[in-house]
Amino acid sequence: METGVVEEVRGGVVEARHRVHAVVVDAAGAVLGCMGDPEWPCTLRSAAKPLQALPAVRDGVVERYDLAARHVAVACGSHEGTPAHAAAVAEVIARAGLSLADLRPRGVHPPLAPGAARALALAGRMPTVLEHNCSGNHALMLLRESMLGRDPAAYLDPDGPAQADATEAVELACGSELVIAGDRCGMRAYSLPLRNAALGYLRLAGQGMPDPFAEAARGVAGAMREAPEMVAGPGSFDSLANALPHVVAKRGALGVFCCASAQTGHGGALKVEDGSFEAMEIAALHLLEAVAGPLGEAFDPWRERPIRDGDGAPVGVWSHTFPVL
């Protein structure tokens, strides 16, 4: 099957071309549609976060520490570091009497939301671990380690029980053996075929998640839908996708996007070969429509997306050619 293609065009000249592989599956894992190779190797990166949250939700962390939907959703997201996101993460670790020193995502960085980064700089404040886009993911894992009486300081140990449990959840949800590597934030990174990533998200959405994670999947998906702005940020593609009825969705670094609809019974996953973030979002709109059906005007900014200069003036266009999924 021919791959999808997203092009960057200036002055009528194709400046860059990004090849896209994508697949749509049903609850049995059967391929309903694809472009490119449905078995293309896909490293989930942050798209693994909702699946990594399954052990904590299964084991009762939500009930033990009286967590709200926003706390679970921020643990499933790559949040933009706004004050609301930082506050939610701080609340999570405080519930178990943990401190910021216990939270150790690698590579502290300014908030991803430009307004939040600007406000922090104007206030003369340095970013902390709370603004790290993966801090919620780390905080929920820390909470589970504390509840189970295990050493929270070892939660990032690649051979430790916390990482092993998260890996087991991803493997079981996706029905695939995983190639294990390291992610930028210190968590494990998992590679698997696109078709299995799509199946994992369909199971997360409520279609056939195996025990012992079936009930936990309902909790995770419900939290992402109830507090979608915590998955990324207001107006972001991920948050708008999770605000759709019956949909769960998440991007991953270097051109990965996974989504599913419990209503249609379809799951989808895509990978942009060269990792382009912009090309991923354009392709993600096409995949999300194939999985969940027609989308509303909130997604219009991704339909006709100009290339802009530093002052915001259009200087080119994004174009695409996608086989029917």
Side-chain angles (χ1 to χ4, degrees):
M1 170 67 73
E2 184 180 354
T3 65
V5 175
V6 179
E7 294 179 333
E8 299 178 59
V9 183
R10 295 175 193 256
V13 176
V14 176
E15 184 178 23
R17 181 174 288 112
H18 313 277
R19 288 160 45 93
V20 183
H21 300 266
V23 63
V24 177
V25 304
D26 65 13
V31 174
L32 302 176
C34 68
M35 54 187 184
D37 184 358
E39 303 293 331
W40 190 264
C42 164
T43 301
L44 288 173
R45 302 292 298 275
S46 285
K49 288 174 179 174
L51 303 177
Q52 289 173 315
L54 291 171
V57 176
R58 175 200 61 189
D59 291 345
V61 165
V62 172
E63 294 77 15
R64 169 72 178 274
Y65 296 106
D66 193 26
L67 300 183
R70 69 180 184 278
H71 299 126
V72 177
V74 80
C76 297
S78 298
H79 69 74
E80 295 184 346
T82 68
H85 294 124
V89 177
E91 289 167 7
V92 170
I93 61 174
R95 297 291 168 95
L98 298 167
S99 72
L100 288 187
D102 297 306
L103 194 61
R104 295 181 289 108
R106 307 290 193 254
V108 172
H109 57 76
L112 300 181
R118 187 163 49 250
L120 205 66
L122 288 174
R125 292 177 51 213
M126 295 293 291
T128 71
V129 290
L130 294 176
E131 282 80 30
H132 193 292
N133 75 104
C134 299
S135 61
N137 175 232
H138 287 239
L140 190 67
M141 187 175 284
L142 264 175
L143 218 61
R144 177 173 180 261
E145 294 305 282
S146 179
M147 184 185 74
L148 295 178
R150 301 198 299 217
D151 180 9
Y155 82 98
L156 287 177
D157 181 350
D159 298 317
Q163 294 298 321
D165 292 346
T167 300
E168 180 187 21
V170 176
E171 192 169 59
L172 186 63
C174 296
S176 173
E177 292 186 5
L178 307 173
V179 176
I180 310 297
D183 212 330
R184 185 177 184 276
C185 69
M187 291 283 186
R188 300 297 85 195
Y190 318 105
S191 294
L192 71 169
L194 270 179
R195 181 178 59 81
N196 292 91
L199 177 62
Y201 263 71
L202 183 52
R203 289 173 168 177
L204 180 68
Q207 296 279 331
M209 178 67 76
D211 286 329
F213 295 117
E215 185 61 32
R218 285 187 280 273
V220 168
M224 293 171 73
R225 294 174 184 136
E226 185 176 339
E229 71 285 352
M230 303 306 289
V231 176
S236 69
F237 190 92
D238 277 18
S239 291
L240 290 172
N242 283 290
L244 296 169
H246 310 292
V247 168
V248 289
K250 181 74 183 69
R251 72 184 186 271
L254 293 181
V256 172
F257 181 76
C258 301
C259 61
S261 167
Q263 191 170 59
T264 65
H266 296 167
L270 70 80
K271 167 66 179 177
V272 181
E273 281 192 24
D274 65 6
S276 167
F277 176 80
E278 293 88 350
M280 177 275 291
E281 288 200 319
I282 292 168
L285 178 69
H286 180 65
L287 179 65
L288 187 59
E289 286 184 322
V291 164
L295 304 177
E297 63 183 16
F299 291 88
D300 285 351
W302 289 275
R303 299 184 198 281
E304 301 293 337
R305 190 169 185 174
I307 298 170
R308 301 183 183 277
D309 68 12
D311 290 331
V315 293
V317 296
W318 289 88
S319 68
H320 64 265
T321 303
F322 295 142
V324 176
L325 281 172

